[in-house]
Amino acid sequence: MKKTGLFLAAGLLLAACQNQGPTRSENADANQIVIGRTDSLRSAVLDETRNIWVYVPDEASGGLYGKSTYPVLYLLDGPGHFHAVTGLLNDLGNNGLVPRMVVVAIPNTDRTRDLTPTHMDEMSGDSSFVATSGGGEKFLEFMEKELIPYVEENYPVTGYRTFVGHSFGGLTAVYALFSHPGMFSNYVAIDPSMWWDDWLLVKETDAVLEKPELAGKALFVGVANTMQEGMDISRVREDTARTSEHIRAILSFISKLDQKKDSPLVFGWKYYPEDNHGSVPLITEYDAFRFLFPWYRLEGLEEFFREDAADDPEPLLQALDSHYDEVSEHFGYPVLPPEPDVNSLGYNLMSSDKPAMARAMFELNIRNYPGSANVYDSMGDFYLVQQDTLKAMAMFRKALELGDSPVTREKLSQLEDQ
């Protein structure tokens, strides 16, 4: 039985809305959920092959949207944090709270070698654990001269970079900030091992904070509760026991940062009394991402959805222009309103009986992402609701020229069969 008129339009639009989310890419196995890929490169600096795990928002969405470039996050101890970080960024990004980002996670080969800035002969009487320590500078050379150029050549990333590390990885993030502040825009140190080499980086903090190169850079530090039972964060600062050295070194570091009010570095930190060294990364990563990108969220959209709001696209377009001009200033390069976000705005405005604003959103996406099949499919859905069958069919045909989609083909087929 053929559907006609509004019945057809409503039925097809329901199917379209149900398929706005990520779809499986043509190359993916139907029984797999693909989050990322593995890759590798040969390092002349380290004289070894290094593996990486890579998450790209385009690929995670199954190729639903057009191609874009993204900020990139480099993640130490990669396999241990890859799922948490990519999941957080997917959720926060889809809600417009932080930018969508490519994640490059780096598995370890010799963790102590790569993630310590100096060599120690022994630690607590044990020389075996630190025998290869002190390769942090060479590891950062690998990142700067080999890994980052490789990623920028092979993946859709921009030059805006964030560096995240936990424990020794957090120590490395701080060391990178101190010694190579231009490598990254943001640094996240999760319960960092600031005790390393007799608190070496803590002792260097005051001098480093004077550097003008820290302008525009941001650091967030997460602190776990690693104290003995009965100790609190105030009393532990005066403790001298070896068991409290880890948190004492971090708190001393934070105190120096807090006191240096005239430093150009943007700094934030948080203590997590209910989390230990192992559990603190996830909650720190969430708070860090929210801290680092307070300027990214587009506020005030609810005003356009009020029942008594005029269906006038101009104020909404101006709000988008103004917001993404500011976002572009923070990133240091032009940033367009993301296709998925504008797409969702269009559908939501259409559902709120704001056709002029909805149409303006779909047209904006066509202007900004003319190579995306999705933008024409969405414009076709708009014309369906307006009962303009000929224009809807034209948009669906255009979408299929750019990329095959079973959903789009089904909608076009039903319209042609009327």
Side-chain angles (χ1 to χ4, degrees), residues 279-337:
S279 68
V280 78
L282 178 63
I283 191 168
T284 301
E285 287 152 359
Y286 175 87
D287 287 337
F289 298 152
R290 297 299 301 272
F291 170 79
L292 295 173
F293 300 100
W295 39 264
Y296 190 78
R297 184 177 188 175
L298 176 56
E299 304 283 0
L301 285 177
E302 63 278 359
E303 294 298 315
F304 297 101
F305 290 89
R306 291 199 332 263
E307 190 173 345
D308 61 345
D311 186 20
D312 179 4
E314 285 308 311
L316 177 55
L317 289 169
Q318 290 171 9
L320 288 170
D321 284 346
S322 175
H323 177 70
Y324 284 98
D325 282 348
E326 180 184 352
V327 170
S328 298
E329 287 184 18
H330 282 282
F331 279 131
Y333 53 82
V335 177
L336 296 172

Side-chain angles (χ1 to χ4, degrees), residues 15 64 82 106 117 120 129 202 206 213 238 268 287-288 312 322:
L64 177 65
F82 185 74
I106 309 169
M120 288 177 61
F129 177 71
V202 178
D206 288 333
E213 296 92 334
E238 307 303 323
D287 287 337
D312 179 4
S322 175

Side-chain angles (χ1 to χ4, degrees), residues 72 74 147-161:
V72 56
Y74 289 87
L147 178 59
I148 290 174
Y150 178 84
V151 169
E152 293 183 347
E153 181 179 349
N154 291 279
Y155 293 93
V157 302
T158 69
Y160 189 94
R161 309 181 198 108

Side-chain angles (χ1 to χ4, degrees), residues 328-379:
S328 298
E329 287 184 18
H330 282 282
F331 279 131
Y333 53 82
V335 177
L336 296 172
E339 180 189 348
D341 299 350
V342 175
N343 201 62
S344 294
L345 266 177
Y347 278 103
N348 289 331
L349 287 163
M350 196 158 56
S351 299
S352 301
D353 196 26
K354 308 286 186 185
M357 286 195 284
R359 177 174 182 155
M361 293 301 98
F362 295 131
E363 290 176 340
L364 177 63
N365 259 354
I366 289 175
R367 291 195 299 274
N368 288 339
Y369 304 95
S372 168
N374 169 74
V375 300
Y376 297 99
D377 179 85
S378 297
M379 193 79 245

Side-chain angles (χ1 to χ4, degrees), residues 242-302:
R242 180 176 294 276
T243 54
S244 67
E245 185 177 20
H246 178 84
I247 191 170
R248 283 189 288 114
I250 299 173
L251 293 175
S252 177
F253 174 58
I254 287 170
S255 179
K256 289 175 178 289
L257 289 161
D258 272 342
Q259 291 171 17
K260 198 69 174 175
K261 301 299 184 184
D262 57 347
S263 172
L265 179 70
V266 176
F267 172 64
W269 71 283
K270 190 171 181 179
Y271 169 61
Y272 300 93
E274 302 302 321
D275 284 279
N276 60 29
H277 186 67
S279 68
V280 78
L282 178 63
I283 191 168
T284 301
E285 287 152 359
Y286 175 87
D287 287 337
F289 298 152
R290 297 299 301 272
F291 170 79
L292 295 173
F293 300 100
W295 39 264
Y296 190 78
R297 184 177 188 175
L298 176 56
E299 304 283 0
L301 285 177
E302 63 278 359

Side-chain angles (χ1 to χ4, degrees), residues 66-138:
K67 297 297 183 182
S68 296
T69 56
Y70 303 95
V72 56
L73 183 149
Y74 289 87
L75 180 64
L76 298 177
D77 293 323
H81 305 292
F82 185 74
H83 295 289
V85 169
T86 57
L88 276 174
L89 289 177
N90 181 68
D91 186 72
L92 293 173
N94 286 342
N95 283 284
L97 298 172
V98 304
R100 294 172 177 86
M101 284 184 261
V102 168
V103 175
V104 178
I106 309 169
N108 298 309
T109 54
D110 185 335
R111 186 173 187 268
T112 301
R113 178 198 70 188
D114 291 342
L115 304 187
T116 53
T118 53
H119 179 73
M120 288 177 61
D121 291 326
E122 65 176 40
M123 188 175 72
S124 301
D126 180 7
S127 61
S128 61
F129 177 71
V130 295
T132 61
S133 63
E137 181 60 36
K138 185 162 275 194

